[in-house]
């Protein structure tokens, strides 16, 4: 995998693509960043044509996601076509609509793995997040059916105010079922830029507990991790901030191409331009590729530079793809207990605003709350 990533980076190949087949969903998760209306998603023929183009471009890892992918009546036709093109296919689903026959077909098609969203070990908490009564029971049934048919399954657990105390139990549930487990403490802003759902982010002290527990954090950023290359990771991070736009990208149900699902910088549309032309010649993608760690404002000399999981997409949504991502600065602080220069600046600015508003400055004493929790503002 290290050699494959290095070769793809050298040759400019989009090794991995996430394709959302639909934004429609049978759940209405409180933290979801998508608009669930259908504004004209690609047809079966358009998706098959796109898969041909992705294969031509050298894509190997294909992640099919949504919305809820099983709301596409042509899902298995698409998966079967992708497997004939020898993509390594991973599915993301809530598993509510998986029954025995569908689990058997997924196994027969040789799907590499299925990632399922599970938010709590308590049905009432999970269902309150998804806003779909009975979803917890049906999700677990789908997971068990997939496991029974030999499909590799993992649980993805997004942490928020609703379920912050349940992560260990969800991890234990996954272990009992011999299922993989990944936790993600990042709430992503809406794709239209609305940041109000960031109010769901967990508190700083809770984030610290998560990042100090290696059994929970594990492989949080696997899709967004910097591509492995011929350099040591510390050196690679000095030159390449993220795989988005370098060896990976995201395509929406409407054919829009972005560097990543968390990086809504429109770079082209496959309904108008062939994918390979977008990948090779898109001006926004070229701009993303031109950025190195040395260019990042306030990041190149940061004490967390070699370990930060900075997401350029989150930084872009905060206003500057070349600037720091406050959410990632907060995660680095949670890991190390050392605030970045950016967080100290945000703290100072926040203290000034509170003073101007007549708020007691002692409410932000560094020894108690050394960072401003920007997600709450």
């Amino acid at each position: 995998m290290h050699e494959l990533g290095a070769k793809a980076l050298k040759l400019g190949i989009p090794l991995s693509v996430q394709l959302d087949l639909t934004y429609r969903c049978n759940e209405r998760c409180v933290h979801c960043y998508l608009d669930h209306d259908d504004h004209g998603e690609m047809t079966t023929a358009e998706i098959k044509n796109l898969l041909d183009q992705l294969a031509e471009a050298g894509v190997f890892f294909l992640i099919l996601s949504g919305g809820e992918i099983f709301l596409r009546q042509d899902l298995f036709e698409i998966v079967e076509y992708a497997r004939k093109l020898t993509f390594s296919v991973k599915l993301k689903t809530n598993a509510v609509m998986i029954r025995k026959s569908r689990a058997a077909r997924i196994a027969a098609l040789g799907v590499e793995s299925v990632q399922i969203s599970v938010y709590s070990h308590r049905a009432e908490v999970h269902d309150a997040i998804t806003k779909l009564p009975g979803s917890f029971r049906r999700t677990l049934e789908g997971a068990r059916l997939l496991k029974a048919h030999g499909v590799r399954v993992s649980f993805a657990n997004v942490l928020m105010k609703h379920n912050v105390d349940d992560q260990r139990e969800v991890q234990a549930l996954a272990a009992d079922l011999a299922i993989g487990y990944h936790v993600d403490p990042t709430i992503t802003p809406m794709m239209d830029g609305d940041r109000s759902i960031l109010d769901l982010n967990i508190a700083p002290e809770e984030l610290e507990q998560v990042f100090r527990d290696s059994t929970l954090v594990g492989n949080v950023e696997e899709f967004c991790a910097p591509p492995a290359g011929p350099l040591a990771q510390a050196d690679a991070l000095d030159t390449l901030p993220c795989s988005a736009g370098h060896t990976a990208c995201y395509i929406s149900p409407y054919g829009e191409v972005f560097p990543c699902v968390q990086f809504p910088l429109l770079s082209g549309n496959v309904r108008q331009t062939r994918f390979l032309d977008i990948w090779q010649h898109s001006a926004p993608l070229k701009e993303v590729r031109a950025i190195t760690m040395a260019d990042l404002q306030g990041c190149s000399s940061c004490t967390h530079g070699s370990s930060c999981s900075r997401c350029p997409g989150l930084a872009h949504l905060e206003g500057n793809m070349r600037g720091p991502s406050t959410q990632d600065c907060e995660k680095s602080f949670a890991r190390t207990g050392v605030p970045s220069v950016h967080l100290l600046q945000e703290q100072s600015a926040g203290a000034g605003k509170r003073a101007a508003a007549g708020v007691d400055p002692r409410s932000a004493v560094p020894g108690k709350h050394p960072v401003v929790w920007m997600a709450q503002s």
Side-chain angles (χ1 to χ4, degrees), residues 96-123:
V96 166
M97 299 175 68
I98 292 179
R99 298 294 182 266
K100 186 175 181 180
S101 60
R102 286 178 169 173
R105 193 165 182 191
I106 290 172
L109 286 170
V111 169
E112 192 270 333
S113 64
V114 177
Q115 178 178 294
I116 299 173
S117 298
V118 177
Y119 302 110
S120 174
H121 64 296
R122 297 179 289 166

Side-chain angles (χ1 to χ4, degrees), residues 17-33:
V17 167
Q18 175 171 324
L19 168 61
D20 277 3
L21 300 177
T22 181
Y23 287 159
R24 292 175 290 130
C25 193
N26 49 358
E27 296 181 336
R28 288 294 182 271
C29 295
V30 297
H31 63 289
C32 188
Y33 52 83

Side-chain angles (χ1 to χ4, degrees), residues 340-363:
S340 66
V341 171
H342 174 64
L343 278 185
L344 292 174
Q345 291 172 342
E346 294 289 348
Q347 177 192 356
S348 176
K353 290 179 181 179
R354 285 190 293 273
V359 178
D360 187 346
R362 289 173 296 180
S363 63

Side-chain angles (χ1 to χ4, degrees), residues 60-215:
F60 180 63
F61 299 106
L62 179 67
I63 302 169
L64 298 179
S65 184
E68 175 45 53
I69 56 176
F70 280 95
L71 289 180
R72 291 278 312 212
Q73 298 298 312
D74 56 356
L75 173 64
F76 282 115
E77 184 178 353
I78 292 170
V79 174
E80 183 175 359
Y81 195 80
R83 291 295 295 130
K84 285 181 179 178
L85 292 172
T86 68
F87 289 110
S88 173
V89 175
K90 177 179 182 178
L91 305 180
K92 292 186 177 182
T93 175
N94 57 41
V96 166
M97 299 175 68
I98 292 179
R99 298 294 182 266
K100 186 175 181 180
S101 60
R102 286 178 169 173
R105 193 165 182 191
I106 290 172
L109 286 170
V111 169
E112 192 270 333
S113 64
V114 177
Q115 178 178 294
I116 299 173
S117 298
V118 177
Y119 302 110
S120 174
H121 64 296
R122 297 179 289 166
E124 65 272 19
V125 174
H126 178 94
D127 292 1
I129 290 173
T130 66
K131 297 184 179 180
L132 179 64
S135 58
F136 178 74
R137 173 183 57 80
R138 293 165 65 184
T139 290
L140 288 193
E141 287 176 357
R144 290 189 177 100
L145 285 170
L146 290 168
K147 280 293 298 181
H149 285 83
V151 178
R152 190 159 71 93
V153 179
S154 67
F155 285 167
N157 184 14
V158 178
L159 294 186
M160 62 196 89
K161 288 180 177 178
H162 298 65
N163 66 347
V164 65
D165 296 323
D166 294 352
Q167 70 265 28
R168 290 185 181 278
E169 287 80 3
V170 178
Q171 185 182 31
L173 176 62
D176 288 343
L177 297 174
I179 284 173
Y181 175 75
H182 302 292
V183 63
D184 187 353
T186 304
I187 301 295
T188 301
M190 297 285 290
M191 292 193 74
D192 63 5
D194 183 355
R195 303 180 64 79
S196 61
I197 61 172
L198 296 189
D199 288 340
L200 296 173
N201 265 314
I202 62 177
E205 59 271 18
E206 295 166 334
L207 188 66
E208 179 180 339
Q209 291 177 7
V210 172
F211 275 102
R212 299 293 174 87
D213 188 339
S214 60
T215 66

Side-chain angles (χ1 to χ4, degrees), residues 235-264:
D235 295 329
L237 283 165
D238 287 337
T239 58
L240 184 63
C242 176
S243 63
H246 291 270
T247 59
C249 70
Y250 164 72
I251 304 175
S252 81
Y254 313 120
E256 302 154 313
V257 179
F258 302 93
C260 174
V261 68
Q262 288 191 160
F263 197 162

